[in-house]
Coordinates of all heavy atoms in Angstrom, one line a residue:
R121 N 32.2 20.7 5.0 CA 33.2 21.5 4.3 C 34.0 22.4 5.2 O 33.4 23.0 6.1 CB 32.4 22.4 3.2 CG 33.2 23.5 2.6 CD 32.5 24.0 1.4 NE 32.6 25.5 1.2 CZ 33.7 26.1 0.8 NH1 34.8 25.4 0.5 NH2 33.7 27.4 0.7
V122 N 35.3 22.5 5.0 CA 36.1 23.4 5.8 C 36.8 24.4 4.8 O 37.3 24.0 3.8 CB 37.2 22.5 6.5 CG1 38.2 23.4 7.2 CG2 36.6 21.6 7.5
L123 N 36.7 25.6 5.2 CA 37.3 26.7 4.4 C 38.8 26.7 4.6 O 39.3 26.5 5.7 CB 36.7 28.1 4.7 CG 35.3 28.4 4.1 CD1 34.2 27.5 4.7 CD2 34.9 29.8 4.4
G124 N 39.5 27.1 3.5 CA 40.9 27.3 3.6 C 41.2 28.6 4.2 O 40.4 29.5 4.3
A125 N 42.5 28.8 4.7 CA 42.9 30.1 5.3 C 42.7 31.2 4.3 O 42.3 32.3 4.7 CB 44.3 30.0 5.8
A126 N 43.0 31.0 3.1 CA 42.9 32.1 2.1 C 41.4 32.5 1.9 O 41.1 33.7 1.8 CB 43.5 31.7 0.7
E127 N 40.5 31.5 1.9 CA 39.1 31.8 1.8 C 38.6 32.6 3.0 O 37.9 33.6 2.8 CB 38.3 30.5 1.7 CG 38.2 29.8 0.4 CD 37.3 28.6 0.4 OE1 37.8 27.6 0.9 OE2 36.1 28.8 0.0
V128 N 39.0 32.2 4.2 CA 38.6 33.0 5.4 C 39.1 34.4 5.3 O 38.4 35.3 5.6 CB 39.1 32.2 6.6 CG1 38.8 33.0 7.9 CG2 38.4 30.8 6.7
S129 N 40.4 34.6 5.0 CA 41.0 35.9 5.0 C 40.3 36.8 4.0 O 40.0 38.0 4.2 CB 42.5 35.8 4.6 OG 43.2 35.1 5.6
L132 N 36.8 37.7 5.5 CA 36.8 38.6 6.7 C 37.5 39.9 6.5 O 37.3 40.8 7.3 CB 37.4 37.9 7.8 CG 36.7 36.6 8.3 CD1 37.3 36.0 9.5 CD2 35.2 36.8 8.6
Y154 N 32.9 32.6 12.6 CA 34.2 32.0 12.4 C 35.1 32.2 13.6 O 35.7 31.2 14.1 CB 35.0 32.5 11.2 CG 36.4 32.0 11.1 CD1 36.7 30.6 10.9 CD2 37.5 32.8 11.4 CE1 38.0 30.1 10.9 CE2 38.8 32.4 11.4 CZ 39.0 31.0 11.1 OH 40.3 30.6 11.2
G155 N 35.2 33.4 14.1 CA 36.1 33.7 15.2 C 35.7 33.1 16.5 O 36.6 32.9 17.4
A257 N 29.3 26.2 7.9 CA 30.7 25.8 7.5 C 31.7 26.6 8.2 O 32.8 26.2 8.4 CB 30.9 26.0 6.0
L258 N 31.3 27.9 8.7 CA 32.3 28.7 9.4 C 32.5 28.1 10.8 O 33.6 28.1 11.3 CB 31.7 30.1 9.5 CG 31.6 30.9 8.2 CD1 31.1 32.3 8.5 CD2 32.9 30.9 7.4
R259 N 31.5 27.5 11.4 CA 31.7 26.8 12.7 C 32.5 25.6 12.5 O 33.4 25.3 13.3 CB 30.3 26.5 13.3 CG 30.3 25.7 14.6 CD 28.9 25.6 15.1 NE 28.7 24.6 16.1 CZ 28.8 24.8 17.4 NH1 29.2 25.9 17.9 NH2 28.6 23.8 18.2
H260 N 32.3 24.8 11.4 CA 33.1 23.7 11.2 C 34.6 24.1 11.0 O 35.5 23.4 11.5 CB 32.6 23.0 9.9 CG 31.3 22.3 9.9 ND1 30.9 21.6 11.0 CD2 30.3 22.3 9.1 CE1 29.7 21.1 10.8 NE2 29.3 21.5 9.7
T261 N 34.8 25.2 10.3 CA 36.1 25.6 10.0 C 36.8 26.1 11.3 O 38.0 25.8 11.5 CB 36.1 26.8 9.0 OG1 35.4 26.3 7.8 CG2 37.5 27.3 8.6
Y262 N 36.0 26.8 12.2 CA 36.6 27.2 13.5 C 37.1 26.0 14.3 O 38.2 26.0 14.8 CB 35.4 27.9 14.2 CG 35.6 28.1 15.7 CD1 36.3 29.2 16.2 CD2 35.0 27.3 16.6 CE1 36.5 29.4 17.5 CE2 35.1 27.5 18.0 CZ 35.9 28.6 18.4 OH 36.0 28.8 19.8
A263 N 36.3 25.0 14.4 CA 36.7 23.8 15.2 C 37.8 23.1 14.5 O 38.8 22.7 15.2 CB 35.5 22.8 15.3
T264 N 37.8 22.9 13.2 CA 38.9 22.2 12.6 C 40.2 23.0 12.7 O 41.3 22.4 12.9 CB 38.5 22.0 11.1 OG1 37.3 21.3 11.0 CG2 39.6 21.1 10.4
H265 N 40.2 24.3 12.5 CA 41.4 25.1 12.6 C 42.0 25.0 14.0 O 43.2 25.1 14.2 CB 41.1 26.5 12.1 CG 41.0 26.6 10.7 ND1 40.7 27.9 10.0 CD2 41.0 25.7 9.7 CE1 40.6 27.7 8.7 NE2 40.8 26.4 8.5
L266 N 41.1 25.0 15.0 CA 41.6 24.9 16.4 C 42.3 23.6 16.6 O 43.4 23.5 17.2 CB 40.4 24.9 17.4 CG 39.8 26.3 17.7 CD1 38.5 26.2 18.5 CD2 40.8 27.2 18.4
L267 N 41.8 22.5 16.1 CA 42.4 21.2 16.3 C 43.7 21.1 15.4 O 44.7 20.5 15.9 CB 41.4 20.0 15.9 CG 40.3 19.8 16.8 CD1 39.2 18.9 16.2 CD2 40.8 19.2 18.1
D268 N 43.6 21.6 14.2 CA 44.9 21.7 13.4 C 46.0 22.4 14.1 O 47.2 22.1 13.9 CB 44.6 22.3 12.1 CG 43.8 21.4 11.1 OD1 43.6 20.2 11.5 OD2 43.3 21.9 10.1
G269 N 45.6 23.4 14.9 CA 46.6 24.2 15.6 C 47.0 23.6 16.9 O 47.8 24.2 17.7
G270 N 46.5 22.4 17.3 CA 47.0 21.8 18.5 C 46.0 21.9 19.7 O 46.4 21.4 20.8
A271 N 44.8 22.4 19.5 CA 43.9 22.5 20.7 C 43.5 21.2 21.2 O 43.3 20.2 20.4 CB 42.7 23.4 20.3
D272 N 43.3 21.1 22.5 CA 42.8 19.8 23.1 C 41.3 19.6 22.7 O 40.5 20.6 22.7 CB 42.9 19.9 24.6 CG 42.5 18.6 25.3 OD1 43.2 17.7 25.3 OD2 41.3 18.6 25.7
V276 N 37.9 22.1 22.8 CA 37.1 22.4 21.7 C 35.6 22.1 22.0 O 34.7 22.8 21.6 CB 37.6 21.7 20.4 CG1 36.6 21.9 19.2 CG2 39.0 22.1 20.1
L279 N 34.2 24.9 24.0 CA 34.0 26.1 23.1 C 32.8 26.0 22.2 O 32.1 27.0 22.0 CB 35.3 26.4 22.3 CG 36.6 26.8 23.1 CD1 37.8 26.8 22.1 CD2 36.4 28.2 23.7
L280 N 32.6 24.8 21.7 CA 31.5 24.6 20.8 C 30.1 24.4 21.5 O 29.1 24.5 20.9 CB 31.7 23.4 19.9 CG 32.8 23.5 18.9 CD1 33.1 22.1 18.2 CD2 32.5 24.6 17.9
Y291 N 35.3 16.3 14.2 CA 36.3 17.3 13.7 C 37.7 16.7 13.7 O 38.6 17.1 13.0 CB 36.2 18.6 14.5 CG 34.9 19.2 14.4 CD1 34.0 19.2 15.4 CD2 34.6 19.9 13.2 CE1 32.7 19.8 15.3 CE2 33.3 20.5 13.0 CZ 32.4 20.5 14.1 OH 31.2 21.0 13.9
T292 N 38.0 15.7 14.6 CA 39.3 15.0 14.5 C 39.3 14.2 13.2 O 40.4 14.1 12.6 CB 39.5 14.1 15.7 OG1 38.5 13.0 15.6 CG2 39.3 14.8 17.0
V294 N 37.8 15.2 10.4 CA 38.0 16.2 9.4 C 39.5 16.5 9.3 O 40.1 16.7 8.3 CB 37.2 17.5 9.7 CG1 37.5 18.6 8.8 CG2 35.7 17.2 9.7
S295 N 40.1 16.7 10.5 CA 41.5 17.1 10.5 C 42.4 16.0 9.9 O 43.3 16.3 9.2 CB 42.0 17.3 12.0 OG 41.4 18.5 12.5
R298 N 42.1 16.2 6.2 CA 42.9 17.4 5.7 C 44.4 17.0 5.7 O 45.1 17.4 4.7 CB 42.6 18.6 6.5 CG 41.3 19.3 6.3 CD 40.9 20.2 7.4 NE 41.9 21.2 7.7 CZ 42.0 22.3 7.0 NH1 41.2 22.6 6.0 NH2 42.9 23.2 7.4

Side-chain angles (χ1 to χ4, degrees):
R121 166 168 143 75
V122 175
L123 280 65
E127 280 184 277
V128 173
S129 296
L132 299 182
Y154 170 71
L258 298 183
R259 177 172 162 90
H260 292 318
T261 303
Y262 165 81
T264 305
H265 287 181
L266 282 171
L267 289 169
D268 286 349
D272 182 83
V276 177
L279 292 172
L280 293 174
Y291 297 107
T292 63
V294 174
S295 291
R298 284 162 55 82

